[in-house]
Amino acid sequence: MTPDPYPDTALIPAPARVEGPYRCGFVLDGRTTLGAATGTETTARWLRDTLGAAFGLPLRETADENATHTIRLRLDDSLAPEAYRLHVLINDVVEIIGGGPAGVFWGAQTLRQLLGPEAFRAAPVGTRAVAALAAQTIEDAPRFGWRGLMLDVSRHFMPKDDVLRYLDLLAAHKLNVFHFHLTDDQGWRIEIKRHPRLTEVGSWRARSKWGHRASPLWDETPHGGFYTQDDIREIVAYAADRHITVVPEIDLPGHSQAAIAAYPELGNTDVVDTAALTVWDSWGVNPNVLAPTEAVLRFYEGVFEEVLDLFPAATSPFVHVGGDECPKDQWKASPAAQARIAELGLADEDELQSWFIRHFDRWLAARGRRLIGWDEILEGGLADGAAVSSWRGYGGGIAAAEAGHDVVMCPEQQVYLDHRQAPGEDEPMPIGYVRTLEDVYRFEPVPPGLSPEAAAHILGTQANVWTEVMQNRSRVDYQVFPRLAAFAEVAWSALPAPEARDYPAFERRMDTHYRRLDALGVDYRPPAGPHPRQQRPGVLGRPLEGRPPIV
């Protein structure tokens, strides 16, 4: 076992370099001021909101660059945009220097961790509003530019305040991409003013399958909800203040039954009575897909026009169009779809799906955005500018990267956090292969053997959270944490090869991190197993045995 390089700081994710700590250098107390150079104002505001609340301190502003008892924020363009240096100096000064505003913000996240778990509370818990730090220097920068979490709010709706809370949790772990899965068969979650039935009808289902789709149980409570356009603007602005990019996902041409239930003309009306469809109440791959018509293209162009207005290019350069799990049976049976294939000179239904994706790739590119989709968009040919979320394994990402496409690695077998965390019978609604905290810590986003040219196309990595069996925030917390902490270190830190990673040292740092999560009210899975209230006895899941395949 190698020595823990961060025994005193217990920082997660692990920083690139720590010098010290030495004797006490800084005391956070009522005298402490905050000096923010131009470009660092959002971080200054965040520090006042968090540290000011946790310690009951005003953190008054100072313009004196030589002040002591102060936290200084400034920029240095010789650093990479997300890099930072944090100096705790012996004259009661903390200096955070970032290559850009994001770098300063990540440095502030490190400062919060250094100040102890109490810094993660919403109000002081004692009469001693003071915290002390040893003098030290931390230099740090992320390995990947894309460090993300995908949250599915379609299968089970998450209220706006819970989404904002998750953005704070991402920021606390230096994750910078929020992939917002807004539409699916089971619910449409974003207000589109020109198509009001998408939320009037498409955001509610009469009941929900309780457990895996093979379960005989149902929750007969109607389920639904959606975000108004002002809610979306608030979420995007909140994320931007935390230097988090939001990637909205509007699924097409599959995973579209909620939209078809709202507007039956969107479906394949010549083979299905689409007027009889309702928002889907079960899970799995749905056969009801969009019809390949010009009217459907115009409808979704209208949807995307409003989406682009809500998600500005500065904060949302990518738009996700899904493109996954699109059964071709209805197109094969549809005379209209077959005529469309012939009219367009396409070889088959796979190319028809590619035609959908290529259309919106061109449409988005003309408006300054980039399309990204699940790796099925490779089938039938991929538009030049499109990027790929490689979910079925590494294979799609490898093929896309070797072909010159940008890739986000999110293989199901490694980083689907809806998959179970342990083999025990107490795991609630167990899905998939066992993926322990250590398994996630040993995940490597860049597959071995990838050529250097292809490896340069790996934008980064993200963990995905599908909520079919997660009915509320606590269930999401249980599945996501503590594994998101391990994933964050994989995405941020320059770790050795998976087999050489010092997991025992990471576990020791997690002892402190669990106290931070406790202070934040995160309902994580305890290391010893679920609390009785976290179990779901008798509810069927779909556990898979053995080691997951590397595909």
Side-chain angles (χ1 to χ4, degrees), residues 284-491:
V285 179
N286 188 294
N288 294 297
V289 302
L290 298 176
T293 67
E294 290 297 320
V296 168
L297 296 184
R298 299 294 88 75
F299 182 96
Y300 273 84
E301 287 171 0
V303 169
F304 280 118
E305 283 177 5
E306 295 192 29
V307 167
L308 296 193
D309 180 62
L310 296 170
F311 296 88
T315 53
S316 298
F318 285 90
V319 175
H320 207 291
V321 300
D324 64 317
E325 296 179 330
C326 178
K328 311 301 192 298
D329 297 342
Q330 290 184 2
W331 289 348
K332 290 177 181 178
S334 164
Q338 291 301 307
R340 188 64 153 166
I341 290 172
E343 174 193 346
L344 296 169
L346 303 177
D348 54 22
E349 292 77 19
D350 283 344
E351 286 197 5
L352 187 60
Q353 176 170 342
S354 179
W355 168 79
F356 258 107
I357 302 301
R358 285 175 180 271
H359 174 85
F360 286 103
D361 179 72
R362 291 190 298 269
W363 191 92
L364 290 167
R367 290 154 181 82
R369 306 300 180 95
R370 290 190 65 189
L371 178 146
I372 186 168
W374 303 110
D375 56 55
E376 286 96 330
I377 68 173
L378 291 163
E379 298 166 5
L382 184 58
D384 290 342
V388 170
S389 301
S390 187
W391 77 273
R392 289 181 294 181
Y394 289 105
I398 292 170
E402 294 285 7
H405 295 282
D406 288 341
V407 174
V408 176
M409 281 294 186
C410 49
E412 175 186 16
Q413 303 82 1
Q414 280 71 42
V415 289
Y416 268 36
L417 300 185
D418 42 296
H419 288 196
R420 58 190 175 136
Q421 303 182 65
E425 294 183 359
D426 292 338
E427 292 302 311
M429 303 186 196
I431 301 295
Y433 293 101
V434 171
R435 292 285 83 194
T436 66
L437 182 65
E438 181 174 1
D439 290 329
V440 174
Y441 190 67
R442 298 193 188 279
F443 165 60
E444 173 49 48
V446 180
L450 204 61
S451 70
E453 295 79 11
H457 285 287
I458 306 297
L459 298 177
T461 183
Q462 73 180 30
N464 293 339
V465 183
W466 300 102
T467 61
E468 288 93 335
V469 297
M470 296 179 225
Q471 301 76 30
N472 52 45
R473 187 179 86 177
S474 288
R475 279 288 292 121
V476 174
D477 278 3
Y478 179 91
Q479 293 299 134
V480 171
F481 290 98
R483 292 182 295 181
L484 192 70
F487 174 80
E489 186 148 309
V490 167

Side-chain angles (χ1 to χ4, degrees), residues 129-440:
V130 61
L133 291 182
Q136 58 192 291
T137 294
I138 296 173
E139 296 181 348
D140 205 7
R143 180 185 178 193
F144 292 110
W146 185 301
R147 307 178 304 279
L149 178 78
M150 188 231 65
L151 184 61
D152 165 23
V153 296
S154 294
R155 275 49 178 270
H156 281 98
F157 178 66
M158 182 171 280
K160 180 196 68 179
D161 285 351
D162 289 342
V163 173
L164 300 179
R165 172 179 176 265
Y166 256 82
L167 291 170
D168 280 327
L169 291 171
L170 294 190
H173 293 82
K174 298 187 175 75
L175 297 172
N176 69 342
V177 176
F178 179 58
H179 177 164
F180 205 8
H181 184 81
L182 288 163
T183 74
D184 218 299
D185 300 301
Q186 296 87 357
W188 186 284
R189 305 294 178 215
I190 178 171
E191 179 187 25
I192 302 297
K193 291 186 181 295
R194 74 189 70 184
H195 302 307
R197 286 176 59 84
L198 286 172
T199 47
E200 291 170 359
V201 174
S203 70
W204 287 92
R205 59 179 183 263
R207 63 177 187 170
S208 303
K209 177 63 70 172
W210 183 235
H212 183 260
R213 62 180 176 272
S215 167
L217 304 176
W218 294 89
D219 179 348
E220 298 292 345
T221 306
H223 181 85
F226 66 92
Y227 308 104
T228 68
Q229 294 204 348
D230 281 345
D231 290 338
I232 293 292
R233 291 187 179 97
E234 180 182 354
I235 289 167
V236 170
Y238 197 86
D241 277 352
R242 286 146 185 81
H243 300 279
I244 294 172
T245 293
V246 183
V247 179
E249 181 177 355
I250 306 295
D251 252 310
L252 60 86
H255 286 289
S256 298
Q257 183 161 318
I260 297 169
Y263 292 94
E265 64 272 22
L266 297 175
N268 294 283
T269 56
D270 55 347
V271 293
V272 177
D273 180 10
T274 56
L277 295 177
T278 60
V279 178
W280 206 25
D281 56 13
S282 190
W283 323 125
V285 179
N286 188 294
N288 294 297
V289 302
L290 298 176
T293 67
E294 290 297 320
V296 168
L297 296 184
R298 299 294 88 75
F299 182 96
Y300 273 84
E301 287 171 0
V303 169
F304 280 118
E305 283 177 5
E306 295 192 29
V307 167
L308 296 193
D309 180 62
L310 296 170
F311 296 88
T315 53
S316 298
F318 285 90
V319 175
H320 207 291
V321 300
D324 64 317
E325 296 179 330
C326 178
K328 311 301 192 298
D329 297 342
Q330 290 184 2
W331 289 348
K332 290 177 181 178
S334 164
Q338 291 301 307
R340 188 64 153 166
I341 290 172
E343 174 193 346
L344 296 169
L346 303 177
D348 54 22
E349 292 77 19
D350 283 344
E351 286 197 5
L352 187 60
Q353 176 170 342
S354 179
W355 168 79
F356 258 107
I357 302 301
R358 285 175 180 271
H359 174 85
F360 286 103
D361 179 72
R362 291 190 298 269
W363 191 92
L364 290 167
R367 290 154 181 82
R369 306 300 180 95
R370 290 190 65 189
L371 178 146
I372 186 168
W374 303 110
D375 56 55
E376 286 96 330
I377 68 173
L378 291 163
E379 298 166 5
L382 184 58
D384 290 342
V388 170
S389 301
S390 187
W391 77 273
R392 289 181 294 181
Y394 289 105
I398 292 170
E402 294 285 7
H405 295 282
D406 288 341
V407 174
V408 176
M409 281 294 186
C410 49
E412 175 186 16
Q413 303 82 1
Q414 280 71 42
V415 289
Y416 268 36
L417 300 185
D418 42 296
H419 288 196
R420 58 190 175 136
Q421 303 182 65
E425 294 183 359
D426 292 338
E427 292 302 311
M429 303 186 196
I431 301 295
Y433 293 101
V434 171
R435 292 285 83 194
T436 66
L437 182 65
E438 181 174 1
D439 290 329
V440 174

